[in-house]
Amino acid sequence: MKGLELSQNYYHTYGKTMIEKQFPEIAGQTAVGLVGYGSECLGFDDEISTDHDYGPSFCIWLPRETYMQYGSRMQDAYDALPKEFMGCATRVEEEQGKGRVGVLCLEDFYLEILGRESVPEAPKEWFALSEAALATATNGAVFTDPCGKFTAIREGLLSYYPREMWLKKLAESLARAAQAGQYNYARAMKRGERIAAELALTEFVKETMQIVYLLNKKYAPFYKWMYRGMKELAVGSEIGDMLALLYQVPDPSAAWEGVSPTDYLYHPNTEDGRVLVIEAVCNVLVQMLNEMGLSGRQDNFLQNHVGEVLGRATE
């Protein structure tokens, strides 16, 4: 059973009654759900995930003043709930996983993940936040939030970056993808620098995934889950299958044998299967930019679309 489903069932079976009967005076201030660190909060958990930080559990978020007064007693009540549920054993927590569930201070929850308690306002405040942290703070599900304080911060974060910042981040990733995949990969292969070429390829894959998340206006999760998460995106999810092909191409070294320093400066070496995939991916990205009105150019070199995207920031 997925962790989110287990958590919600556990809350409705035991947690809801515990809160309403033992703490009726603050039930209206109590938000409950499962949000934060862990694959289960993303819905990506599987059998491998059950070896740690998995089991019947949920989060209870209380405003700071309420937490200071009731947090300890409510935690004791939470700890007294049945440890096994629906055939799942007690949650086994690793040291670094402690404090992710149970009774939590609402403000401290966001402070611990984001370094702040509220939704950013100024662009510099947004720039200070890592995208993985934003994904962590807004994943999972909220089961109940009668006072709406937890949800208000959550929805403010989910409203996404201000337009100008969004386009600047998109332009930066386009530039990095072009530099890594359409420029430095070839230069490294011409020099016989295979490790450098592999690093360039990895950078291209990472930035391409980042571009797809940005075009969907979704925060990209921790790198381990970026590829998995692409499958659920509304726009450009097919690029994930294309990127997978890069790791199925046989050793391309032969395509670069005898190549001179001036070869393939202005056109790709299509003898290398990886280059074919890279250019195909870039072609799809360009089509997406065109369809979304973010660029009017048709050429395949992503760097040439950076200025177009930045120009949209002032419109």
Side-chain angles (χ1 to χ4, degrees), residues 2 7 26 40 88 152 156 160 196 202 210 219 229 246 269 279:
K2 290 286 189 178
S7 176
I26 60 167
E40 69 277 10
C88 296
Y160 209 61
T202 298
Q210 181 68 58
Y219 299 124
L246 288 170
N269 179 2
E279 292 303 317

Side-chain angles (χ1 to χ4, degrees), residues 11-23:
Y11 160 68
H12 282 294
T13 301
Y14 295 114
K16 187 173 185 292
T17 300
M18 179 270 286
I19 293 170
E20 291 177 349
K21 289 191 174 181
Q22 297 186 44
F23 302 93

Side-chain angles (χ1 to χ4, degrees), residues 296-307:
R297 297 181 66 103
Q298 303 296 321
D299 57 285
N300 223 42
F301 190 37
L302 296 183
Q303 179 64 48
N304 292 339
H305 296 267
V306 171

Side-chain angles (χ1 to χ4, degrees), residues 13-14 20 37 68 80 104 136 226 230 236 268 274 310:
T13 301
Y14 295 114
E20 291 177 349
Y37 299 102
M68 294 296 291
L104 307 170
T136 299
M226 285 181 73
M230 282 184 66
R274 284 178 167 179
L310 288 174

Side-chain angles (χ1 to χ4, degrees), residues 34-232:
L34 186 66
V35 180
Y37 299 102
S39 58
E40 69 277 10
C41 296
L42 293 164
F44 298 161
D45 52 317
D46 52 23
E47 290 183 1
I48 297 174
S49 309
T50 62
D51 66 337
H52 68 283
D53 300 333
Y54 177 86
S57 57
F58 52 84
C59 301
I60 299 175
W61 297 285
L62 299 175
R64 181 170 285 121
E65 289 188 6
T66 306
Y67 177 80
M68 294 296 291
Q69 185 175 357
Y70 290 91
S72 179
R73 278 188 286 155
M74 186 174 278
Q75 183 65 50
D76 289 340
Y78 174 89
D79 290 339
L81 296 177
K83 297 296 185 290
E84 296 184 7
F85 178 68
M86 298 185 72
C88 296
T90 302
R91 178 182 172 97
V92 178
E93 293 183 330
E94 292 188 337
E95 187 62 32
Q96 62 268 33
K98 292 182 178 179
R100 294 180 178 179
V101 295
V103 184
L104 307 170
C105 173
L106 187 156
E107 292 86 354
D108 287 349
F109 172 82
Y110 286 110
L111 182 64
E112 193 273 330
I113 296 174
L114 300 174
R116 59 180 299 119
E117 300 176 4
S118 59
V119 179
E121 296 181 5
K124 65 179 182 180
E125 294 177 334
W126 279 103
F127 271 113
L129 303 179
S130 78
E131 192 151 343
L134 286 163
T136 299
T138 56
N139 62 21
V142 178
F143 309 148
T144 183
D145 184 13
C147 75
K149 186 173 182 179
F150 184 89
T151 303
I153 299 173
R154 179 181 174 87
E155 290 180 349
L157 296 170
L158 285 171
S159 66
Y160 209 61
Y161 299 118
R163 177 177 172 81
E164 182 177 358
M165 180 181 171
W166 169 58
L167 292 174
K168 285 182 177 179
K169 288 179 70 68
L170 177 59
E172 288 175 359
S173 283
L174 287 167
R176 292 193 186 105
Q179 182 185 54
Q182 296 179 288
Y183 182 76
N184 279 330
Y185 172 76
R187 294 172 74 85
M189 290 300 291
K190 282 198 285 187
R191 293 187 172 109
E193 293 283 354
R194 288 301 302 274
I195 292 179
E198 295 297 326
L199 289 172
L201 189 71
T202 298
E203 186 71 7
F204 172 76
V205 170
K206 181 175 74 70
E207 291 300 335
T208 296
M209 291 191 292
Q210 181 68 58
I211 290 167
V212 176
Y213 276 94
L214 284 163
L215 291 176
N216 280 272
K217 294 189 175 181
K218 297 286 186 181
Y219 299 124
F222 180 56
Y223 76 87
K224 182 172 71 171
W225 300 114
M226 285 181 73
Y227 180 77
R228 168 65 178 80
M230 282 184 66
K231 297 177 182 179
E232 301 179 3

Side-chain angles (χ1 to χ4, degrees), residues 275-307:
V275 171
L276 287 174
V277 175
I278 289 170
E279 292 303 317
V281 167
C282 292
N283 182 261
V284 174
L285 290 176
V286 168
Q287 291 178 32
M288 292 169 65
L289 292 173
N290 291 161
E291 291 170 0
M292 296 177 70
L294 299 176
S295 176
R297 297 181 66 103
Q298 303 296 321
D299 57 285
N300 223 42
F301 190 37
L302 296 183
Q303 179 64 48
N304 292 339
H305 296 267
V306 171

Side-chain angles (χ1 to χ4, degrees), residues 238-288:
E238 70 277 10
I239 288 178
D241 293 333
M242 298 174 72
L243 292 175
L245 294 175
L246 288 170
Y247 299 95
Q248 300 172 25
V249 174
D251 184 356
S253 298
W256 299 92
E257 291 178 359
V259 172
S260 75
T262 57
D263 287 337
Y264 305 117
L265 290 178
Y266 303 108
H267 61 279
N269 179 2
T270 55
E271 297 300 313
D272 182 337
R274 284 178 167 179
V275 171
L276 287 174
V277 175
I278 289 170
E279 292 303 317
V281 167
C282 292
N283 182 261
V284 174
L285 290 176
V286 168
Q287 291 178 32
M288 292 169 65

